[in-house]
Amino acid sequence: MSVGIGIAGAGTVGGALLRRLVTDRAVVTARTGLDLEVRLVAVRDADKARPHQIPSRLITTDVMDLVTDDSIDLVVEVMGGLEPAGTLVLAALQAGKPVVTANKELIAARAPQLFAAAAASGVPLLFEAAVGGGIPIIRPLTETLAGEQVSRVMGIVNGTTNFILSAMTEQGWSYGDALAEAQRLGYAEPDPSADVSGADAAAKAAILAGLAFGVWVDPARVYREGIDRLGVADLAAAKRLGYVLKLLAVAERTPSGVLARVHPAMIPADHPLAAIRGATNAIFISGHAVGDLLFAGPGAGGDPTATAVLGDVIDAARELLSGSSVAPRIAFGLGEIASFDEVPTRWCLRLEVQDSPGVLARIAAVFGDAGVSLRSVWQDGRGDRATLIVVTHLAPEGSQRRALAGLEALDVVAEVAAAIRVEGDDS
Ligand SMILES: NC(=O)c1ccc[n+]([C@@H]2O[C@H](COP(=O)([O-])OP(=O)(O)OC[C@H]3O[C@@H](n4cnc5c(N)ncnc54)[C@H](OP(=O)(O)O)[C@@H]3O)[C@@H](O)[C@H]2O)c1
């Protein structure tokens, strides 16, 4: 018996998925025993020329046809954005149709509502491609690690920003030149703001927090800093200290609740995440019993993402045909969200200061008053000015910020040129 598939979206991911469902149909059937038949494809523009021609009888411009058409057993949403994707996914679930989506923005923003609808109808809502593209990460977190006490998930989950930071580190390029190259190669959109601001990574951090700790974190509550203010001097400072700069998405369990955050971070050059170069993504999971795990691979691109979507489609189809639950049932519950101020962080600060007697003592006093102790201080004097690079010990984020405010107010500090957190360095 064949399973009728309706796909909303035939762009980068949808186009690749369509190619696979058509050209690999026999292969999938031979491996899984399932006959997956594409019966409807919703697009915005029915007349658009596409690399993989879709027969016109399969095309609709009304996504809700995927819900109302009885020949569609399973809905794949690969168009992106909150609407009309959200209305489609909810209506399909309420109609008892399993849904597969690659839409991190939608899952992050509406997880409680959508998973409640899936549970009420007893159908799966699968989203392996929403974080890490082609990297299997949702299943490992929800199935293999279901019995593990995960303490922290740290990821490089945005290929565009990792490409830019790698080019700045390895080629010595400015931020602007590295961004232009990322755009030329198609790694960055003409409007790169969702990537470089950390918004894309924040949605993924929220999802990772939900999966690892079962607590839904509203993406609007994910602490977020982008990479657009980083310069070559920051990369040089990182290198001097034996660190590499990355945009990290961190989801962690703290004594006061769950926290998700996205910001540039210095990590030790021998940390497994430091080796992740270019547009590659990686997710580093720390568990009490299992230790550290690293998942790495292509975080985007039509074909790798379509592989993850197709895996979900196969699981959902198996479930439809067997009538018993195959896919994991995921619940994003409500729980305590920690205040970032209370979470211990380590900072690296680059200060432009007066080079005169007593300056270091006054700077040290500001840190001391804020309750932050110093791990290392490196000074490069140039006549009456000096650059200081200070690495702190772990202290609550709120204390680190108090120290920063104190330094900014200090007359001997001409400029706090950079304040970047250090992660993954427990030495
Ligand atoms: N691209 C990746 O590497 C990647 C990786 C992981 C996850 N994802 C996620 O996968 C999803 C799809 O991304 P993509 O890169 O494939 O997007 P895309 O290339 O922009 O394609 C979007 C598709 O959706 C269709 N569409 C948009 N609005 C529509 C509407 N109102 N009604 C009907 N169809 C509509 C478009 O139709 P037209 O073709 O007619 O314009 C297009 O076919 C997003 O949620 C994205 O975050 C993408």
Side-chain angles (χ1 to χ4, degrees), residues 12-17 19-20 78 102 128-137 187 279-281 296-312:
T12 306
V13 179
L17 178 68
R19 271 194 306 280
R20 298 279 286 282
V78 279
E128 183 63 71
V131 180
I135 307 171
I137 187 66
Y187 290 132
T280 304
N281 281 19
D303 281 323
T305 309
T307 292
V309 174
L310 188 50
D312 280 348

Side-chain angles (χ1 to χ4, degrees), residues 236-316:
K239 195 170 176 186
R240 183 179 294 277
L241 297 165
Y243 294 135
V244 175
L245 252 181
K246 297 289 182 190
L247 181 72
L248 288 190
V250 181
E252 61 199 333
R253 191 197 290 284
T254 80
S256 56
V258 169
L259 184 74
R261 52 190 167 107
V262 170
H263 51 74
M266 294 188 184
I267 54 175
D270 60 358
H271 190 283
L273 285 175
I276 305 302
R277 300 170 54 237
T280 304
N281 281 19
I283 294 132
F284 185 77
I285 299 176
S286 303
H288 286 294
V290 78
D292 293 335
L293 301 170
L294 181 72
F295 298 80
D303 281 323
T305 309
T307 292
V309 174
L310 188 50
D312 280 348
V313 169
I314 289 168
D315 258 7

Side-chain angles (χ1 to χ4, degrees), residues 158 160-161 164 175 179 183 187-198:
N158 182 273
T160 307
T161 47
I164 292 171
Y175 169 76
L179 171 60
Q183 285 170 321
Y187 290 132
E189 300 283 335
D191 174 5
S193 50
D195 291 321
V196 300
S197 70

Side-chain angles (χ1 to χ4, degrees), residues 142-216:
T142 51
E143 293 181 356
T144 323
L145 299 174
E148 175 67 36
Q149 268 194 57
V150 173
S151 52
R152 206 159 198 250
V153 180
M154 242 176 13
I156 294 171
V157 292
N158 182 273
T160 307
T161 47
N162 203 51
F163 177 89
I164 292 171
L165 293 176
S166 299
M168 290 171 75
T169 305
E170 293 165 22
Q171 319 290 339
W173 290 350
S174 68
Y175 169 76
D177 287 348
L179 171 60
E181 180 66 358
Q183 285 170 321
R184 193 182 70 76
L185 293 172
Y187 290 132
E189 300 283 335
D191 174 5
S193 50
D195 291 321
V196 300
S197 70
D200 172 84
K204 294 166 180 169
I207 295 174
L208 288 171
L211 294 172
F213 310 117
V215 172
W216 177 63

Side-chain angles (χ1 to χ4, degrees), residues 8-14 42-46 48 50 60-63 77-81 83-84 101-105 129-130 133 200 299-302 305:
T12 306
V13 179
V43 291
R44 197 168 18 202
D45 177 359
K48 195 171 179 175
R50 299 174 193 278
T60 175
T61 52
D62 182 354
V63 293
E77 185 278 302
V78 279
M79 59 185 176
E83 286 299 340
T101 177
N103 192 333
K104 73 231 137 193
E105 194 187 350
D200 172 84
T305 309

